[in-house]
Amino acid sequence: MKKDYLNDLRKILNTFEMSKSERDDIINDYAAMYDDGLEKGMEEQAIIEMLGTPEKAAKALSDEYRHIQKRHIGGRLIALMPFLSLITFFILGFYFDKWHPGWLVFLSIPMTAIIVEAFNKPSKQFLTALSPFVATVVYLGIGFGFKIWHPTWLIFLIIPILGIVNSYRSYDEIDDHKDILSQLTALSVFVAIVVYVLLGTYAELWNPGWLIFLIIPILGILSEKNKMKKILFISSILIAVAFYLFVGYRFGNWWYGALGFLLPIGLGILTNDIKFSFGKGSIWVKLTVILAVTLYFSTGILWNTWGFMWMIFLLIPMIAILSHGPKKHYLVALSPFIATIIFFSLGYFFGLWEISWMAFLMIPIFGILTKN
Amino acid sequence: MMNSQFKKGIIEMCVIAVVAQKDMYGFEVIDTMAKAIDVNENTVYPILRRLTDQGYFETYLESTSQGAPRKYFKITKTGIKKMEEYRHEWTEFLSGVYKIMGGQIE
């Protein structure tokens, strides 16, 4: 941990204008203070809190030293990329008549920025910072190479997954048992999406494939302290799943099968873990939740719309943003959801995976437009 | 809440006063400060470093029984002058505050 701490500190200090000897001196001082803390019998987490995370320590140092300015390593390269891309684009277009896919060279502009930034980040955030780049390359590579745009888009899920994994490892978190479980619960959302889409796409198992999402509440319940409650909840969910599958496959009636879920829901209401309160929070969000769940299941069971109706769940965070978020940032906050809907709809309904990913470009564009 | 710039000034004054009492190594300064006042510890080391840079402190190494030698901070003549200046300003400021708010300097 000490080695990681000092390495990360050095990496951040590398982005500041200072002589090597000054940097080494600071690192040595932090190493000595760290050792003093250990000698005093302090926990490493407590020492890091005392000295500040590498980010905080570096920020405090730069606040004190007016002459230490953040240096942009690779800044020149980033500045040069638009020109290099334009030249490459014209050469590919005029000489080789490859306007398409020659325009892809423009992607090198944000990618260079991402890579350069990634190298300036502490090692633990390196992968997270690089993940958008890796995901885009894999997505376009497999898409153009093998024409498998769907479900290759799932690769973009590595961005939030790595984000969650690394946030857990960050210095601000104290690693205890509960943290691992909450991290697993957060991760399970994305794992469930991947499994769900793969099951649906390749095995036409949209239903009952959605049952995989039950892993989220199951993992959530695992962090419950009361053992009895834990066993009761998990077994009730498993019984409901078994009932749903049995009635669905045996009698072909999924609706009746779904009645089995009244068991865990009833249990939740009885133990007061599920509450229907309309007092606090926006009524619109709650109505959207009910509407989304109803529409998702009813259209799914009636018309087999499992493959795309999941998008209706995106309405929940969108309505929440509209009713809680600061008005000024509506567009920016909503843009990832709008982009996902445009992206998936164009791809799913019209097979336009090849260009639909560009919908995601609206996120930074909105960000820049509303910045001032 | 106390203005952060104002608080920073007070912490700086305290760091000078702490090192003026006896030569100390980095961790010792942070520890001494944290025991007495509610201080955001990670701000102490950068202040120590800047004060050294400005010539109020000088540093020397002293070998320890275990491991690498320790870097000690020692107040300089300029540092002592600065501390007296701070003490004067601080007393004057406090007496003014007490005049308004009531109470007195111990």
Side-chain angles (χ1 to χ4, degrees), chain A residues 22 25-26 29-30 33 36-37 39-40 42 49-52 56-57 60-61 63-67, chain B residues 5 8 12 25-28 30-31 34-35 41-43 45-47 49-50 53 66 70-71 73:
Chain A
E22 189 170 13
D25 194 38
I26 292 173
D29 284 349
Y30 272 93
M33 290 190 286
D36 285 331
E39 207 177 291
K40 248 196 128 190
M42 285 172 76
E49 266 167 37
M50 183 169 182
L51 299 179
K56 278 184 191 159
L61 277 165
D63 284 349
E64 286 304 324
Y65 286 85
R66 297 282 169 237
H67 64 274
Chain B
Q5 218 43 43
K8 214 181 214 178
E12 179 177 320
Y25 54 94
F27 187 87
E28 206 179 359
I30 300 177
D31 206 31
K35 270 180 194 156
E41 289 101 326
N42 70 55
T43 56
Y45 172 76
I47 290 175
R49 209 172 161 81
R50 179 170 49 80
D53 210 35
Q66 63 271 62
R70 256 189 195 132
K71 185 201 267 182
F73 292 87

Side-chain angles (χ1 to χ4, degrees), chain B residues 75-93:
Chain B
I75 197 157
T76 60
K77 275 185 187 155
T78 336
I80 293 173
K81 223 172 134 191
K82 185 76 187 169
M83 189 185 68
E84 278 159 4
E85 210 176 282
Y86 265 143
R87 202 184 287 277
H88 176 70
E89 277 176 25
W90 179 242
T91 323
E92 218 163 66
F93 175 75

